[in-house]
């Protein structure tokens, strides 16, 4: 009886081992783009080179989370990709360390950044089946964001990018980071994406001369995100910090409906100087008037004295 129990345990272990390593479909990096287009929800375990024990343990966690999720998400599939032969792709977009988890929803990827536990990963799969990013255009931008007309729809983080990779080779990476931070902070902020190829008026309105660019629209002001390259933080982590804190270190621009002026442009500098010119004028002009009056009085007194001398 005891021997039968041991045999059953060994058989269960073998089945689990087979599921962990043999049943998980492995794709070449170049095959993944077409694969995710054929499946609505795809969880991808991404690693590079030989998967050591620590890597294998994480792969097992993702596999268990996937199995747990399929109880109520029957359209979720799980694959693994070895990216040791390439240095480009969505797995490098957000600068998360490998191994990592990519999660495609209708072809749109996000990168996992939470704790490596079965329940946490499974909940992440469940909570992010739909994109949390709104697509904005010339026609819908102001209506949805109210960036210059009330800001009652919340604080918006908007990515302006182009689908033209020759014009913007890093735009796809920004797209991944936007969706990743949106999955994390969707309950506190609103997220939008503008394809400037089809929205030229917004390109002109916000004077965008480089892409991709992230802007936070908050209470009638616009704050530009600057990515820090000398840091171990992923881009989505930097964006999360920017939204919750560091935007306050950035000088905001008042949002207008007409084309905005670039900081440092002659008209922008003039706008900054004009209020001080008015203050200076308010202080100096009375002194100039008083000086002119005193000078006139002094001339009259001088003429009076001359007249008195002649009479004498």
């Amino acid at each position: 009886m005891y021997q039968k129990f041991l045999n059953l345990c060994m058989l269960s272990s073998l089945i689990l081992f087979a599921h962990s390593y043999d049943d998980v479909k492995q794709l070449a990096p170049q095959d993944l783009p077409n694969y995710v287009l054929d499946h609505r929800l795809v969880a991808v375990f991404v690693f590079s080179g030989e998967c050591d024990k620590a890597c294998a343990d994480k792969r097992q966690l993702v596999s268990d989370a996937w199995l747990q999720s399929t109880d109520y998400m029957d359209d979720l599939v799980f694959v693994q990709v070895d990216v040791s032969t390439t240095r480009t792709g969505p797995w490098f977009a957000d600068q998360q360390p490998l191994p990592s988890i990519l999660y495609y929803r209708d072809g749109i990827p996000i990168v996992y950044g939470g704790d490596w536990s079965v329940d946490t990963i499974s909940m992440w799969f469940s909570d992010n089946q739909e994109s949390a990013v709104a697509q904005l255009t010339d026609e819908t931008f102001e209506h949805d964001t109210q960036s210059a007309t009330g800001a009652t729809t919340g604080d918006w983080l908007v990515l302006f990018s182009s689908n033209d990779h020759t014009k913007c080779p890093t735009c796809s990476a920004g797209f991944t980071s936007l969706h990743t931070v949106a999955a994390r902070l969707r309950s506190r902020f609103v997220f939008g994406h503008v394809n400037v190829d089809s929205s030229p008026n917004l390109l002109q309105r916000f004077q965008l001369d480089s892409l991709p660019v992230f802007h936070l629209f908050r209470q009638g002001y616009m704050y530009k995100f600057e990515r820090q390259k000398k840091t171990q933080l992923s881009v989505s982590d930097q964006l999360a910090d920017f939204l919750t804190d560091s935007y306050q270190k950035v000088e905001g621009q008042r949002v207008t409906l007409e084309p905005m002026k670039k900081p440092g442009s002659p008209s922008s500098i003039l706008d900054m100087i004009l209020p001080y010119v008015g203050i200076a004028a308010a202080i100096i002009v009375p002194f100039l008037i008083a000086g002119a009056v005193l000078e006139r009085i002094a001339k009259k007194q001088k003429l009076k004295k001359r007249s008195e001398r002649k009479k004498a």
Side-chain angles (χ1 to χ4, degrees), residues 2 80 95 177 192 220 224 236 251 263 274:
Y2 179 70
Q80 56 184 340
Q95 296 184 330
S177 296
K224 183 180 180 181
S236 60
E251 183 179 355
L274 281 176

Side-chain angles (χ1 to χ4, degrees), residues 231-246:
T231 177
Q232 294 184 342
L233 290 176
S234 66
V235 179
S236 60
D237 285 338
Q238 292 184 49
L239 284 167
D241 176 70
F242 175 73
L243 289 173
T244 56
D245 179 52
S246 61

Side-chain angles (χ1 to χ4, degrees), residues 289-299:
I289 293 173
V293 171
L294 291 174
E295 184 179 2
R296 188 171 181 180
I297 292 173
K299 284 183 179 180

Side-chain angles (χ1 to χ4, degrees), residues 61-167:
L61 287 173
V62 182
S63 179
D64 292 345
W66 165 65
L67 278 176
Q68 181 172 300
S69 300
T70 53
D71 289 340
Y72 48 89
M73 297 167 60
D74 56 8
D75 53 351
L76 176 64
V77 296
F78 177 42
V79 298
Q80 56 184 340
V81 174
D82 178 3
V83 297
S84 58
T85 59
T86 180
R87 298 307 304 167
T88 60
W91 34 83
F92 300 119
D94 195 50
Q95 296 184 330
Q96 293 277 5
L98 298 179
S100 64
I101 310 169
L102 276 179
Y103 183 28
Y104 284 85
R105 301 84 34 82
D106 296 310
I108 299 173
I110 56 176
V111 186
Y112 185 68
D115 296 331
W116 287 82
S117 70
V118 172
D119 289 341
T120 307
I121 297 171
S122 178
M123 185 175 296
W124 183 68
F125 288 151
S126 176
D127 290 345
N128 295 288
Q129 297 180 57
E130 304 294 338
S131 170
V133 176
Q135 294 300 312
L136 303 171
T137 65
D138 283 340
E139 292 74 26
T140 64
F141 184 90
E142 192 58 38
H143 176 271
D144 290 351
T145 67
Q146 298 185 5
S147 61
T149 54
T152 60
T153 58
D155 297 342
W156 283 73
L157 179 71
V158 179
L159 167 67
F160 297 86
S161 68
S162 168
N163 288 342
D164 185 346
H165 295 292
T166 60
K167 183 192 306 182

Side-chain angles (χ1 to χ4, degrees), residues 261-298:
K261 297 159 185 173
K262 296 180 184 177
S265 64
S267 57
S268 178
I269 294 172
L270 184 60
D271 288 342
M272 290 188 292
I273 293 175
L274 281 176
Y276 297 100
V277 171
I279 294 171
I283 296 173
I284 295 172
V285 168
F287 284 100
L288 293 176
I289 293 173
V293 171
L294 291 174
E295 184 179 2
R296 188 171 181 180
I297 292 173

